[in-house]
Every structure is written in structure tokens, then in C-alpha cells.
Amino acid sequence: MKKLFKLLVVSLVAFALVACGGGGTEGETPVGEGKTYNVGVAIYKFDDFMTLYQEEIKTAFKSAGAKDGNTYNVDIVDAKGDQAGQVEQIKNFITQDMDLIVANLVDPTGADVVIADAKAADIPVVLINREPSVEVMSVWPGKTTYVGVDATQSGIYQGEIIAELESKGDVNGDGTVNYITLKGDAGNVDAEQRTEYSIKTLEKSITTNNIHGTEFQGNWDTELGEKHTSDALTKYGKDLEVVFANNDGMAIGAVQAIEKAGNRTIGEDIFVVGVDAIADAKELLKEGKLTGTVLNDHFNQAQTVVEVAIKALNGEELSAYYWHDYVKVTKVEDAELKRAEYRKETVEEVTVRYAEREKAE
Ligand code: GAL
């Protein structure tokens, strides 16, 4: 009812503007329906990558409005990693009767509750970045979707980057790669899959040895990445051959630690690989101080978020999943941002694919 009222007011204002000759010159203003939509975007934390991603979402809504003549008021909030705080932010969006919610959940295990609340208020939800469990996607089919990239792919690319080196990462030629992994948040799908698949992939070419035994918890953070790498260098010295970082933030920390230690040369006797392809990582890559990274395509993900959000705002049914690809990056040009098609998948298709993946292991 409230939405209907909002629509009426907007239409009346649009009519008044046209009647007063307030519209732009033909050709300048897009031909559109002139509706106003309010979109709430809840971000888990404005870390390096999510800062890029949310900016791209803002830009994409703006250009969509310029094209279709609608106004998209986008309210983006930063939960600063605090789950309880984010629950409040999302409740607020619901109280404000937002037309759609984009959610990058601090804790994706709570996605079912978020969706149930949104469903009760008839507000579609686009989940991003932190993939929830498949079951969650069946809570409100057609009105809930996940736009993302398959985390296993990023791990595979990281493993391939090292496997494709002449030494395969085996600097001392003893037939084994000694590595550490700098991990993102515990339980985070991206962190788990990148950790697992980078090594599984490298192991197809050469034996590996995690010289730390358990991974270092770096929480996507540069300072922690630096600290853990510095500790590892002190403890294992020249034995440490590869640093797998679940993201560029921590990879950059690793590079800083190696440079401070001063007795190793990245690209010669030690290798560092990250994920995201943020600007600072690309810079290091250019300078030869980073072995490689994987583009976590924020551009295409954001474009698709906006495209599917608009579908939902138009009352269209959404597919459960919209996927993009990661891109292997060993030189800056590999990370070029260009619009790519998404792939749609249903809950059933994803369930089968994941089961097959598990069986293959
Ligand atoms: C990952 C990204 C990380 C971090 C994380 C947050 O996809 O690579 O840098 O932003 O998402 O969930």
C-alpha cells in the first residue's frame, strides 16, 4: 500500500514537471518511467575489495537511472564487520520499506532469517560476495538471488599460477613446495575454498608441504598478513618458498614483510600470490613484486547486481544464482575490466554440481 502511495506521488510530481515544461530538452533526458526506487545496500565491511565493489554498485545504479529515467536512491551502509550491528541496519531497511535490499552479510549463516524478514515485508533480496548455503536460496525463490563468483575457481587459478612457474614454486629443488596460507575470515566460503583449491591444484604438479601446519588467520587484513609472514620468515627462513594469500590485502602484507626482512627476492627465491586484483596489487605486479593475483571481478558482479535488482523491481522472477568468472592475472593487462555475460543456475543445478564436485574429490 505504501509503495502504491509512493508511486502515485512520484507520478503526480512527474506530471506536474511535464505540465510546467520542467522536463529536459528532447534527447537529453532519457525516456523512462520516472519512478523512484529506494535500495538498501548492507556491506559487511568496507575492506579494500568491498570498497571497490560498493562504489561500482553505486555507479551502476546511477547509469541505469540515466538510461531508464528512473531514480534509484541507493543507501549503502557499512557494518564494520559487526554482525549484530548489521542485523539492525537490515531491520532499519525493512522499517524504511526499501524496495529492494542488497546484502553482503557479515554472517551468511544468518541469511535465512534475513530473507524470511524481507519476505514478510515483500522486499526482494540480492545476496552478494559471501555465498550462503544452497538451502537458503529456497526460502523465497524468485525473489532472492545470489550474485557471485565460484570461490573454488580462484583457488584453482592461484595454484595454477605457481604450478606454471618454471620451478613450480620449488625454489630449493627438493621436490616439495613449502608454503604458508594467509587465510580470510574463519568459515568464509572464499577463504575455505581458496585455501583448499590452491593447494589441491598445485599438488597435481608437485608435492606440497604446509610448513606451518595450520593456516595463519589473517582476516583479509594487510597488517595481519605482514605480521604472520614476518613470523613465518623468522621461523622457517629460506625454507619458505610460497605465500598463498586468500586476498591481495594479505598478499601485500606478505610482500611488505619479505621486503623488510631484506634477504629474499620475490619472483626469484620466494613467490606470493593473492586474489582480487586491487590497484595496489596491480602496482606490485607491474614492479615484479607480486607473482600473481586473481581478478575478483567487482565490475561485472556490480553490473549484474544492478541488472537483476532492476528485474526484481519490475516484478520479474529471479534465478537463484547469477555467476561470473574469476580471471587469472600474472600481468596487469589480464585484469582489464570488461562487461561479460553472467551464467544463471537454479538451486537444483547448483546442488547437483556441488555434489559432483564433492564426489570427484
Ligand atoms: C572476498 C575478497 C576479500 C574480502 C572478502 C569479504 O571475495 O577477496 O578481499 O573482501 O571477499 O567477504
Side-chain angles (χ1 to χ4, degrees), residues 52 248-249 251-252 255 274-296 298-299 329-338:
L52 280 180
D248 283 347
I252 290 165
V255 171
V275 178
D276 285 340
I278 59 173
D280 287 351
K282 288 193 276 186
E283 202 44 50
L284 287 176
L285 200 62
K286 218 189 300 176
E287 294 167 15
K289 292 182 185 158
L290 185 68
T291 312
T293 183
V294 180
L295 171 66
N296 188 354
H298 62 278
F299 174 73
V329 178
T330 51
K331 48 187 189 316
V332 176
E333 306 82 75
D334 298 336
E336 194 201 335
L337 304 174
K338 46 181 184 289

Side-chain angles (χ1 to χ4, degrees), residues 14-27:
F15 175 74
L17 277 174
V18 172
C20 304
T25 328
E26 236 189 279

Side-chain angles (χ1 to χ4, degrees), residues 44 47 49-50 129-130 188 190 194 220 247 276 296:
Y44 103 96
D47 64 14
F49 174 70
M50 287 315 301
N129 176 254
R130 300 186 146 196
N188 181 295
D190 290 352
R194 288 172 192 168
W220 310 117
N247 78 341
D276 285 340
N296 188 354

Side-chain angles (χ1 to χ4, degrees), residues 131-138 141-142 144-146 317-323 342-355:
E131 188 182 340
S133 69
V134 179
E135 296 76 53
V136 161
M137 304 313 293
S138 303
T144 316
T145 188
Y146 176 68
E317 295 281 297
L318 300 181
S319 169
Y321 293 88
Y322 293 84
W323 297 111
Y342 50 69
R343 281 188 313 281
K344 289 196 279 186
E345 244 181 344
T346 62
V347 167
E348 294 70 30
E349 286 165 340
V350 164
T351 309
V352 171
R353 188 163 60 82
Y354 286 180

Side-chain angles (χ1 to χ4, degrees), residues 180 182 216 222-237 240 243 250-264 270:
I180 58 165
L182 302 172
F216 289 95
T222 302
E223 266 173 46
L224 280 175
E226 177 171 348
K227 183 196 171 304
H228 290 318
T229 310
S230 164
D231 290 350
L233 284 169
T234 308
K235 203 159 170 195
Y236 310 112
L240 177 59
V243 179
M250 296 184 291
I252 290 165
V255 171
Q256 286 164 358
I258 294 164
E259 292 202 319
K260 276 188 193 157
N263 55 352
R264 311 291 297 276
I270 190 161

